[in-house]
Amino acid sequence: MGNNGVKTATQDGETCEFKYLMVKPCDGSLTDLFHFLVSGAKSYKFLKTSKDENEGERGLGPISGDHRLVILVSILVRRIIAAFGKPMEWCGILVEFLLNLLLLNGGLRCLFFNLFSGKVGVPKRGSETFISVIGHLDRRINLHKFDSGANKGIEGSFSVGSRALIDLCMMASKLAYENNKVIAHVVTSHWKMHFVKFYNCWNDYQKELSTQVFILCDKPKDANIVLISFRGTELFDSNDWSTDIDYSWYEIPHIGKIHMGFLEALGLGNRDQVYSFQFHLQGGNSSKSSSFDIAVNHDTSSDLDRNKENAYYCIRSKLKTLLHENKNAEFIVTGHSLGGALAVLFPAILVFHKEEELLKKLLGVYTFGQPRVGDQQFVRFMEAHLCHPVPKYLRMVYCNDLVPRLPYDNKTFLYKHFGTCAYYNSLYIEKDVEEEPDMNYFGLRYFLPQHLNAVWELIRSLTMGYKYGKEYKETWFSILLRVCGVVVPGLSAHCPANYINSIRLGRAATDTRRSS
């Protein structure tokens, strides 16, 4: 069942075979799922794979019971998310409108007064004053001033690994959830930096313009830093959550198996036309792909040459221009949640495409609450290019955040993290660990501690402003999310406010990396 793996020539003329596994939750019945779980039935509609002559007709080889269980859980959870997709979307639109209505009118009391006086301000989506749900969870927009004082550029407080640079990356990751006008205003008016461009790109998994990313420079001319920030998982977006939980992968020769949904979000393929991954990964529409032969019987001209902005190519092209104009500049890629996964994948594809001039200018990749991206081979590949000889990768995880524990992993399963994890507990104490505790967010031994910790975080949220200053005072909406977090601790822990607080209030017994 499924299409054959297609043998193609790489840019070096080497012949290789691309393999894939697609988990399709909408195909097949509950009976099919039961038979798959119990016996690993030879035929199942919800999996589509490449054919591997060495592994049999399915291209998977023997599937262990534990492995089948993970695939089954992924399918069931994604079906539940899909069932609530529209209600989640409508709820998100309503909540976002009401939050902006209150903000625009100065709160509930002033809103009632304005209603009676006929002077109600109506929020306009896409305007400079229309804030996202994530923005209402944490309204901080200014960069923090650490001991080094005002921002001085890469040679000053924005040195590699400094708290100021990490804070800039986290604030940029949070800002990526906003619209174009809000981002431009904050970057230019509050951060006194140069806003380059905002991109709203096509996501072939979600079939909509949902991959948002923006670029800034620390200065309009002679810049030292070019920062690329990808938007993460929206709170009320079922497609984003389904992407995080998706178990589908696509194997890139010499790199490893990579989460298929993340490739699609970067614009590097389409699972409905699997050959499109090969097209893009072999160079896409560039001159390098002239010798690339797609060995399938399809009309690729209409399928692949979309009249839509593609995140990977747009960012790569603009980055080349900026680095050419700013000879001393280096670039950093960042993102929270799903945005962190895209931030990791972007330089990985630059390596595969042999963009050596760009990679020489890579300052670092900083991610916050990032899900897993690839398999053990991908881990080795990324560690070789981002962790050695000089570490350029920081993966930050706050306490019980659910998203870094996705997709599922243990000693035998596919998805793995790489590099050192900067892990913060709920007291904002940092430990550098290989893997965060409770790496899969399941197990009775963690159940009670997770919920007790969520209760503690809820109580603490009421006193943050008194203890640390008004900058740290949490909004009523953030406190409401923490109430929900008592039921599902991993959701409230994923909030960007926790990461900002960890950076600004965090401490460790030994802190050589973060001296400012």
Side-chain angles (χ1 to χ4, degrees), residues 353-370:
H353 284 167
K354 301 187 183 302
E355 296 286 353
E356 296 177 2
E357 293 302 314
L358 282 181
L359 292 166
K360 289 178 183 177
K361 294 285 190 173
L362 176 61
L363 176 66
V365 178
Y366 289 7
T367 70
F368 309 89
Q370 166 214 318

Side-chain angles (χ1 to χ4, degrees), residues 98-115:
L98 292 176
L99 289 171
N100 279 282
L101 182 66
L102 291 171
L103 180 64
L104 190 61
N105 289 277
L108 188 60
R109 183 182 302 175
C110 293
L111 175 60
F112 280 122
F113 178 80
N114 291 343
L115 280 171

Side-chain angles (χ1 to χ4, degrees), residues 378-397:
F378 181 73
V379 166
R380 291 191 293 268
F381 176 85
M382 294 306 292
E383 286 182 339
H385 290 91
L386 286 184
C387 301
H388 302 288
V390 179
K392 294 185 177 182
Y393 175 55
L394 171 68
R395 181 172 70 87
M396 187 170 168
V397 174

Side-chain angles (χ1 to χ4, degrees), residues 202-205 207 260-281 304 306 310 313:
W202 181 253
N203 184 323
D204 247 324
Y205 175 68
K207 304 302 180 187
M260 188 176 286
F262 299 156
L263 285 170
E264 289 171 307
L266 271 184
L268 293 172
N270 171 6
R271 70 181 65 196
D272 293 331
Q273 299 154 344
V274 184
Y275 59 88
S276 62
F277 289 104
Q278 298 162 29
F279 176 86
H280 289 290
L281 292 169
L304 299 175
R306 295 182 179 275
N310 172 301
Y313 294 112

Side-chain angles (χ1 to χ4, degrees), residues 491-504:
L491 294 181
S492 57
H494 190 58
C495 179
N498 297 311
Y499 287 90
I500 297 171
N501 291 342
S502 296
I503 295 166
R504 298 180 179 185

